[in-house]
Amino acid sequence: MLEHINSVCGKVKADSLGRTLMHEHLLVGVPGWETHTTIQAMSRPDMISLMVDRLAEAVDAGFQSMVDPCPSDMGRDVELMREVADASGMTMICATGLYTEGLGASSYWGLKARFGADVANELSEVMIREIEEGVGSSGVQAGIIKVASGPGPLTDYEKTVFTAAAKASNATDVPITTHTFHTEGLEQVAFLGELGVSPEKIIVGHSCGNGELQYHLNIIDSGAYVGFDQFGMTAIRSDEERIDAMMAIVGAVDTGKIIVSHDMVICQRGKLFSGERQEMGNVTPLHFTRKVAPKLLAAGMTQKQLDEILIENPRRYFIGPSAA
Ligand SMILES: [Zn+2]
């Protein structure tokens, strides 16, 4: 059971998290972005000012906390996070951990494995240090562990990263949040479970990209949380479909295992998209409040249930299984 949560500005009590967006990003850089040297990058002060504006809006709208589960191989910048958290008033929680084999740092860690390294052990040491002492020399401590797999079954590399994450979670009580391609959740929970991680310490990310009620109920039955964390990402699934799926869960069980967010990316390193397009999804953290919450309430969700999803579930998830 966790007494305190590491935010990028220091330790906070779980009871003080308040309304929490559980999966948003200030900055993402897909490995290789730094080779795209012909593009004009936004300056650091400009990025920070844009991020502070966006988050200050969310703070004004009643959000007190935000998890940025950017893994360490996707352009994570914890000092920038600290600066933005400090200036915006948002309590921000950053992650330790790695992305998928296909899109992350597998070149480096895979090569190390070929040269004989015990990668699971070395990586767990990295994660534990980032949680207990901080990332590099920044002093910024990670408050959540990020793992990712898919599409399809966990690869050997991903199993190594998951093994390191399980060790780090078991050693520190810090919970785990995952990335899926919408179908790998049960395998992730089962694999982490075999390594001693309680499902109640796992959020299966991007679960709302899957339209099958049974998929969601199976994850909830396991004890893990379902991430409805891509509202506004209509290229994958419309908000209406995500809302219908959430209300089906509420009808079948309750709201106790649902968390919400947008998977917003305020700034992207490099230039991933052609033309004017900048992002996968929406770029305001207020989309849920403005566009989604009213529809959930109209569909029969009570304000008490909505508050449970936004306030109580994040608190309970961070504190851990023995939480009252
Ligand atoms: Zn994300």
Side-chain angles (χ1 to χ4, degrees):
M1 184 171 159
L2 266 189
E3 296 284 323
H4 290 91
I5 299 161
N6 292 336
S7 88
V8 297
C9 295
K11 293 193 185 304
V12 294
K13 286 196 160 161
D15 289 338
S16 67
L17 285 178
R19 276 195 174 66
T20 305
L21 290 164
M22 289 297 287
H23 192 130
E24 310 290 352
H25 302 287
L26 295 186
L27 179 65
V28 165
V30 176
W33 68 269
E34 65 279 5
T35 61
H36 196 172
T37 56
T38 50
I39 59 154
Q40 178 77 41
M42 197 186 248
S43 75
R44 194 175 177 87
D46 283 352
M47 286 200 297
I48 288 173
S49 124
L50 178 64
M51 291 164 182
V52 170
D53 283 354
R54 290 272 157 76
L55 296 198
E57 260 190 349
V59 169
D60 283 348
F63 286 102
Q64 287 160 264
S65 303
M66 177 191 123
V67 175
D68 183 340
C70 183
S72 57
D73 50 354
M74 293 291 278
R76 183 190 63 176
D77 185 334
V78 298
E79 280 164 337
L80 178 139
M81 288 184 199
R82 177 167 56 192
E83 206 169 320
V84 172
D86 198 36
S88 65
M90 182 72 89
T91 297
M92 196 176 306
I93 294 157
C94 75
T96 184
L98 293 170
Y99 209 51
T100 64
E101 175 164 12
L103 293 169
S106 54
S107 304
Y108 178 78
W109 290 102
L111 200 54
K112 272 184 71 67
R114 278 171 54 193
F115 292 147
D118 179 349
V119 171
N121 252 330
E122 281 195 48
L123 262 180
S124 73
E125 283 166 16
V126 170
M127 293 177 190
I128 291 168
R129 189 187 180 282
E130 292 194 345
I131 290 165
E132 293 185 339
E133 292 170 52
V135 177
S137 59
S138 68
V140 175
Q141 293 170 268
I144 197 166
I145 300 167
K146 173 72 172 281
V147 289
S149 74
L154 272 75
T155 66
D156 287 346
Y157 169 80
E158 287 159 0
K159 284 181 179 172
T160 302
V161 176
F162 273 60
T163 301
K167 278 186 184 187
S169 179
N170 293 338
T172 61
D173 272 343
V174 164
I176 297 176
T177 191
T178 82
H179 165 92
T180 64
F181 283 84
H182 321 300
T183 57
E184 300 83 7
L186 284 171
E187 188 194 356
Q188 293 182 340
V189 174
F191 188 79
L192 291 169
E194 283 168 23
L195 297 166
V197 179
S198 163
E200 290 163 69
K201 296 174 71 109
I202 302 169
I203 293 170
V204 175
H206 316 330
S207 295
C208 54
N210 190 312
E212 296 292 324
L213 175 62
Q214 199 54 52
Y215 177 74
H216 297 138
L217 294 182
N218 288 343
I219 292 169
I220 290 169
D221 275 351
S222 79
Y225 290 79
V226 285
F228 274 64
D229 50 12
Q230 291 187 324
F231 277 108
M233 211 174 275
T234 51
I236 294 171
R237 195 166 283 277
S238 72
D239 279 350
E240 282 67 29
E241 288 173 293
R242 295 176 204 270
I243 288 166
D244 288 348
M246 192 192 290
M247 292 310 295
I249 294 172
V250 176
V253 274
D254 56 27
T255 50
K257 292 291 185 182
I258 301 169
I259 61 93
V260 295
S261 224
H262 308 92
D263 204 3
M264 155 192 85
V265 176
I266 298 179
C267 292
Q268 189 87 243
R269 290 200 193 268
K271 189 174 188 313
L272 272 185
F273 305 110
S274 301
E276 292 301 302
R277 186 180 175 197
Q278 295 296 314
E279 303 300 340
M280 286 283 288
N282 81 86
V283 288
T284 166
L286 294 183
H287 178 77
F288 183 82
T289 303
R290 287 176 180 158
K291 305 282 186 189
V292 180
K295 290 179 184 165
L296 286 168
L297 294 171
M301 184 173 282
T302 65
Q303 186 62 47
K304 187 164 176 285
Q305 288 174 317
L306 195 53
D307 288 344
E308 182 180 38
I309 289 171
L310 289 168
I311 302 169
E312 178 56 21
N313 293 355
R315 185 192 81 86
R316 188 168 358 93
Y317 161 75
F318 272 109
I319 291 179
S322 53

